[in-house]
Amino acid sequence: MKDWERRAKFAIKKEVLKEFDDWSKEDFIEYILQLRELIEVQKVDLMPKSSETGKTEPVKESQFNKDWSIPTQIVFILHLSHKPLLSSEIFTMITRLDKSFKDFMNAETVLSNYLSRSVKSGRIKKIKLPGIRTLYFALPEWVKENGELREEFKEHIKIFT
């Protein structure tokens, strides 16, 4: 990042912070709770239910929306593939579905950051297999309570022994 970009970013941040000068701790807490409520209402149901059968319909690539947040795009990609994926596989799919993702300066680093945040928030789970350096990422419902991957998803992982 160039020096003028840092100064501009700092100036913008300083302007925005002026808005919160007279806010109390309780005001911040109330505002955060309102935002969380708004986010909960706007969450996208990635597995639409069939009105006739009541069963979940498989996710189709055509349902992808590039306006979703990146964590939502990651969850969608996991639903779409219906198997645990490496970060490199997620990167390949996200760049194919959202052409603008490549516009990030360090797109792989950006994805890694969003994967870490999604794991921390509980939207996805990371799976570390013994003897394999890289991590797999899976949906929480694919993982047992003890942190192990469910049997039906283990078959999708290629383990070289």
Side-chain angles (χ1 to χ4, degrees):
M1 185 182 305
K2 296 180 181 169
D3 191 43
W4 69 267
E5 289 174 316
R6 275 193 209 92
R7 285 194 311 260
K9 207 178 221 184
F10 180 74
I12 291 168
K13 186 176 179 180
K14 196 172 178 181
E15 271 306 303
V16 170
L17 286 175
K18 285 181 185 178
E19 176 185 347
F20 303 108
D21 277 345
D22 59 340
W23 284 38
S24 68
K25 184 178 179 180
E26 289 76 25
D27 292 335
F28 277 115
I29 293 170
E30 181 64 31
Y31 190 66
I32 290 170
L33 292 174
Q34 288 173 358
L35 288 174
R36 284 182 180 170
E37 212 172 280
L38 183 63
I39 289 169
E40 228 14 78
V41 168
Q42 292 180 348
K43 277 192 179 170
V44 179
D45 185 11
L46 295 176
M47 293 293 282
K49 304 275 184 193
S50 169
S51 57
E52 299 147 10
T53 63
K55 294 182 180 177
T56 57
E57 296 175 2
V59 176
K60 297 179 186 99
E61 203 170 290
S62 62
Q63 294 172 312
F64 183 83
N65 184 346
K66 65 180 181 124
D67 294 330
W68 286 336
S69 67
I70 294 175
T72 303
Q73 290 179 7
I74 293 168
V75 170
F76 179 85
I77 287 169
L78 288 170
H79 273 290
L80 183 65
S81 65
H82 198 65
K83 66 178 184 176
L85 297 173
L86 297 168
S87 60
S88 59
E89 296 170 319
I90 294 172
F91 180 76
T92 301
M93 289 184 77
I94 204 167
T95 53
R96 186 172 49 83
L97 294 170
D98 184 1
K99 304 290 185 211
S100 65
F101 191 80
K102 292 179 187 175
D103 294 341
F104 285 113
M105 204 178 254
N106 294 319
E108 290 97 351
T109 306
V110 169
L111 179 64
S112 177
N113 188 11
Y114 278 108
L115 285 169
S116 297
R117 288 180 182 185
S118 297
V119 167
K120 190 173 182 180
S121 71
R123 288 188 80 179
I124 62 174
K125 298 284 185 185
K126 66 180 176 182
I127 309 295
K128 172 69 174 106
L129 298 175
I132 299 176
R133 277 183 106 173
T134 57
L135 296 172
Y136 281 89
F137 295 92
L139 295 173
E141 56 266 23
W142 299 350
V143 179
K144 297 177 189 174
E145 289 178 14
N146 62 1
E148 285 183 27
L149 199 58
R150 295 192 183 276
E151 295 303 320
E152 61 266 25
F153 297 102
K154 280 185 181 178
E155 65 191 35
H156 296 293
I157 296 177
K158 307 261 189 286
I159 301 176
F160 302 103
T161 54

